[in-house]
mmCIF file of all heavy atoms in Angstrom:
data_model
loop_
_atom_site.group_PDB
_atom_site.id
_atom_site.type_symbol
_atom_site.label_atom_id
_atom_site.label_comp_id
_atom_site.label_asym_id
_atom_site.label_seq_id
_atom_site.Cartn_x
_atom_site.Cartn_y
_atom_site.Cartn_z
ATOM 1 N N ASP A 74 -3.111 -27.936 2.085
ATOM 2 C CA ASP A 74 -4.306 -28.779 2.232
ATOM 3 C C ASP A 74 -5.261 -28.694 1.047
ATOM 4 O O ASP A 74 -6.256 -29.436 1.026
ATOM 5 C CB ASP A 74 -5.079 -28.372 3.497
ATOM 6 C CG ASP A 74 -4.318 -28.694 4.775
ATOM 7 O OD1 ASP A 74 -3.422 -29.563 4.715
ATOM 8 O OD2 ASP A 74 -4.619 -28.087 5.819
ATOM 9 N N LEU A 75 -4.984 -27.818 0.081
ATOM 10 C CA LEU A 75 -5.905 -27.615 -1.032
ATOM 11 C C LEU A 75 -5.331 -28.127 -2.340
ATOM 12 O O LEU A 75 -4.167 -27.863 -2.669
ATOM 13 C CB LEU A 75 -6.256 -26.125 -1.173
ATOM 14 C CG LEU A 75 -6.950 -25.491 0.027
ATOM 15 C CD1 LEU A 75 -7.123 -23.993 -0.195
ATOM 16 C CD2 LEU A 75 -8.301 -26.150 0.290
ATOM 17 N N LEU A 76 -6.160 -28.863 -3.079
ATOM 18 C CA LEU A 76 -5.754 -29.321 -4.413
ATOM 19 C C LEU A 76 -5.666 -28.142 -5.372
ATOM 20 O O LEU A 76 -4.833 -28.112 -6.274
ATOM 21 C CB LEU A 76 -6.776 -30.325 -4.961
ATOM 22 C CG LEU A 76 -6.693 -31.758 -4.482
ATOM 23 C CD1 LEU A 76 -7.841 -32.565 -5.063
ATOM 24 C CD2 LEU A 76 -5.359 -32.380 -4.878
ATOM 25 N N GLU A 77 -6.590 -27.207 -5.214
ATOM 26 C CA GLU A 77 -6.615 -26.010 -6.050
ATOM 27 C C GLU A 77 -7.339 -24.917 -5.278
ATOM 28 O O GLU A 77 -8.139 -25.196 -4.383
ATOM 29 C CB GLU A 77 -7.316 -26.277 -7.393
ATOM 30 C CG GLU A 77 -8.737 -26.796 -7.288
ATOM 31 C CD GLU A 77 -9.780 -25.728 -7.101
ATOM 32 O OE1 GLU A 77 -9.545 -24.592 -7.580
ATOM 33 O OE2 GLU A 77 -10.824 -25.997 -6.478
ATOM 34 N N HIS A 78 -7.036 -23.675 -5.650
ATOM 35 C CA HIS A 78 -7.737 -22.557 -5.029
ATOM 36 C C HIS A 78 -7.639 -21.337 -5.929
ATOM 37 O O HIS A 78 -6.756 -21.241 -6.779
ATOM 38 C CB HIS A 78 -7.162 -22.251 -3.646
ATOM 39 C CG HIS A 78 -5.738 -21.769 -3.669
ATOM 40 N ND1 HIS A 78 -4.666 -22.636 -3.693
ATOM 41 C CD2 HIS A 78 -5.203 -20.516 -3.693
ATOM 42 C CE1 HIS A 78 -3.534 -21.957 -3.712
ATOM 43 N NE2 HIS A 78 -3.831 -20.663 -3.710
ATOM 44 N N ALA A 79 -8.577 -20.434 -5.736
ATOM 45 C CA ALA A 79 -8.592 -19.209 -6.526
ATOM 46 C C ALA A 79 -9.309 -18.124 -5.739
ATOM 47 O O ALA A 79 -10.119 -18.421 -4.843
ATOM 48 C CB ALA A 79 -9.297 -19.436 -7.861
ATOM 49 N N LYS A 80 -9.021 -16.876 -6.087
ATOM 50 C CA LYS A 80 -9.717 -15.743 -5.492
ATOM 51 C C LYS A 80 -10.625 -15.140 -6.545
ATOM 52 O O LYS A 80 -10.168 -14.765 -7.628
ATOM 53 C CB LYS A 80 -8.731 -14.699 -4.979
ATOM 54 C CG LYS A 80 -9.381 -13.598 -4.143
ATOM 55 C CD LYS A 80 -8.331 -12.670 -3.550
ATOM 56 C CE LYS A 80 -8.980 -11.647 -2.625
ATOM 57 N NZ LYS A 80 -7.964 -10.716 -2.046
ATOM 58 N N VAL A 81 -11.916 -15.072 -6.252
ATOM 59 C CA VAL A 81 -12.909 -14.563 -7.193
ATOM 60 C C VAL A 81 -13.742 -13.486 -6.497
ATOM 61 O O VAL A 81 -14.422 -13.773 -5.511
ATOM 62 C CB VAL A 81 -13.839 -15.690 -7.706
ATOM 63 C CG1 VAL A 81 -14.830 -15.136 -8.729
ATOM 64 C CG2 VAL A 81 -13.027 -16.825 -8.304
ATOM 65 N N PHE A 82 -13.658 -12.255 -7.015
ATOM 66 C CA PHE A 82 -14.442 -11.154 -6.448
ATOM 67 C C PHE A 82 -14.259 -11.051 -4.929
ATOM 68 O O PHE A 82 -15.212 -11.034 -4.154
ATOM 69 C CB PHE A 82 -15.929 -11.306 -6.791
ATOM 70 C CG PHE A 82 -16.202 -11.319 -8.273
ATOM 71 C CD1 PHE A 82 -16.909 -12.366 -8.840
ATOM 72 C CD2 PHE A 82 -15.743 -10.311 -9.101
ATOM 73 C CE1 PHE A 82 -17.169 -12.392 -10.206
ATOM 74 C CE2 PHE A 82 -15.991 -10.322 -10.462
ATOM 75 C CZ PHE A 82 -16.701 -11.362 -11.012
ATOM 76 N N ASP A 83 -12.994 -11.024 -4.508
ATOM 77 C CA ASP A 83 -12.624 -10.816 -3.097
ATOM 78 C C ASP A 83 -12.927 -12.008 -2.191
ATOM 79 O O ASP A 83 -12.781 -11.901 -0.965
ATOM 80 C CB ASP A 83 -13.308 -9.563 -2.526
ATOM 81 C CG ASP A 83 -12.885 -8.290 -3.247
ATOM 82 O OD1 ASP A 83 -11.708 -8.216 -3.629
ATOM 83 O OD2 ASP A 83 -13.735 -7.401 -3.424
ATOM 84 N N ASN A 84 -13.350 -13.120 -2.745
ATOM 85 C CA ASN A 84 -13.590 -14.318 -1.952
ATOM 86 C C ASN A 84 -12.729 -15.468 -2.459
ATOM 87 O O ASN A 84 -12.455 -15.569 -3.657
ATOM 88 C CB ASN A 84 -15.066 -14.729 -2.008
ATOM 89 C CG ASN A 84 -15.963 -13.746 -1.295
ATOM 90 O OD1 ASN A 84 -15.782 -13.458 -0.115
ATOM 91 N ND2 ASN A 84 -16.937 -13.205 -2.009
ATOM 92 N N PHE A 85 -12.300 -16.318 -1.545
ATOM 93 C CA PHE A 85 -11.508 -17.489 -1.909
ATOM 94 C C PHE A 85 -12.395 -18.715 -2.085
ATOM 95 O O PHE A 85 -13.401 -18.884 -1.388
ATOM 96 C CB PHE A 85 -10.473 -17.801 -0.823
ATOM 97 C CG PHE A 85 -9.323 -16.846 -0.759
ATOM 98 C CD1 PHE A 85 -9.264 -15.868 0.226
ATOM 99 C CD2 PHE A 85 -8.301 -16.921 -1.685
ATOM 100 C CE1 PHE A 85 -8.202 -14.984 0.295
ATOM 101 C CE2 PHE A 85 -7.230 -16.043 -1.635
ATOM 102 C CZ PHE A 85 -7.177 -15.063 -0.639
ATOM 103 N N TYR A 86 -12.002 -19.568 -3.041
ATOM 104 C CA TYR A 86 -12.658 -20.848 -3.271
ATOM 105 C C TYR A 86 -11.565 -21.900 -3.426
ATOM 106 O O TYR A 86 -10.520 -21.637 -4.024
ATOM 107 C CB TYR A 86 -13.506 -20.828 -4.548
ATOM 108 C CG TYR A 86 -14.682 -19.877 -4.509
ATOM 109 C CD1 TYR A 86 -14.503 -18.520 -4.782
ATOM 110 C CD2 TYR A 86 -15.963 -20.325 -4.204
ATOM 111 C CE1 TYR A 86 -15.570 -17.634 -4.745
ATOM 112 C CE2 TYR A 86 -17.036 -19.451 -4.167
ATOM 113 C CZ TYR A 86 -16.832 -18.113 -4.440
ATOM 114 O OH TYR A 86 -17.890 -17.250 -4.396
ATOM 115 N N GLY A 87 -11.800 -23.107 -2.906
ATOM 116 C CA GLY A 87 -10.789 -24.142 -3.037
ATOM 117 C C GLY A 87 -11.329 -25.526 -2.730
ATOM 118 O O GLY A 87 -12.434 -25.682 -2.210
ATOM 119 N N THR A 88 -10.518 -26.535 -3.058
ATOM 120 C CA THR A 88 -10.903 -27.943 -2.893
ATOM 121 C C THR A 88 -9.978 -28.625 -1.899
ATOM 122 O O THR A 88 -8.758 -28.592 -2.058
ATOM 123 C CB THR A 88 -10.827 -28.682 -4.243
ATOM 124 O OG1 THR A 88 -11.677 -28.041 -5.185
ATOM 125 C CG2 THR A 88 -11.245 -30.131 -4.083
ATOM 126 N N SER A 89 -10.563 -29.247 -0.879
ATOM 127 C CA SER A 89 -9.787 -29.949 0.136
ATOM 128 C C SER A 89 -9.167 -31.222 -0.431
ATOM 129 O O SER A 89 -9.874 -32.091 -0.937
ATOM 130 C CB SER A 89 -10.687 -30.303 1.326
ATOM 131 O OG SER A 89 -10.065 -31.247 2.167
ATOM 132 N N ARG A 90 -7.870 -31.330 -0.315
ATOM 133 C CA ARG A 90 -7.172 -32.531 -0.772
ATOM 134 C C ARG A 90 -7.591 -33.750 0.050
ATOM 135 O O ARG A 90 -7.875 -34.813 -0.500
ATOM 136 C CB ARG A 90 -5.659 -32.329 -0.657
ATOM 137 C CG ARG A 90 -4.820 -33.538 -1.080
ATOM 138 C CD ARG A 90 -3.366 -33.329 -0.719
ATOM 139 N NE ARG A 90 -2.783 -32.193 -1.388
ATOM 140 C CZ ARG A 90 -2.170 -32.257 -2.576
ATOM 141 N NH1 ARG A 90 -2.055 -33.425 -3.193
ATOM 142 N NH2 ARG A 90 -1.650 -31.175 -3.116
ATOM 143 N N ALA A 91 -7.671 -33.593 1.376
ATOM 144 C CA ALA A 91 -7.987 -34.723 2.247
ATOM 145 C C ALA A 91 -9.382 -35.274 1.971
ATOM 146 O O ALA A 91 -9.585 -36.490 1.946
ATOM 147 C CB ALA A 91 -7.867 -34.303 3.713
ATOM 148 N N ALA A 92 -10.350 -34.382 1.748
ATOM 149 C CA ALA A 92 -11.726 -34.831 1.498
ATOM 150 C C ALA A 92 -11.814 -35.619 0.198
ATOM 151 O O ALA A 92 -12.472 -36.667 0.133
ATOM 152 C CB ALA A 92 -12.663 -33.629 1.452
ATOM 153 N N VAL A 93 -11.163 -35.123 -0.839
ATOM 154 C CA VAL A 93 -11.186 -35.805 -2.133
ATOM 155 C C VAL A 93 -10.491 -37.156 -2.039
ATOM 156 O O VAL A 93 -11.003 -38.171 -2.538
ATOM 157 C CB VAL A 93 -10.528 -34.928 -3.222
ATOM 158 C CG1 VAL A 93 -10.275 -35.735 -4.497
ATOM 159 C CG2 VAL A 93 -11.407 -33.726 -3.534
#
Side-chain angles (χ1 to χ4, degrees):
D74 292 339
L75 299 175
L76 280 176
E77 57 84 29
H78 65 275
K80 189 174 185 181
V81 182
F82 300 126
D83 298 324
N84 292 304
F85 287 103
Y86 295 82
T88 302
S89 166
R90 179 189 298 270
V93 168

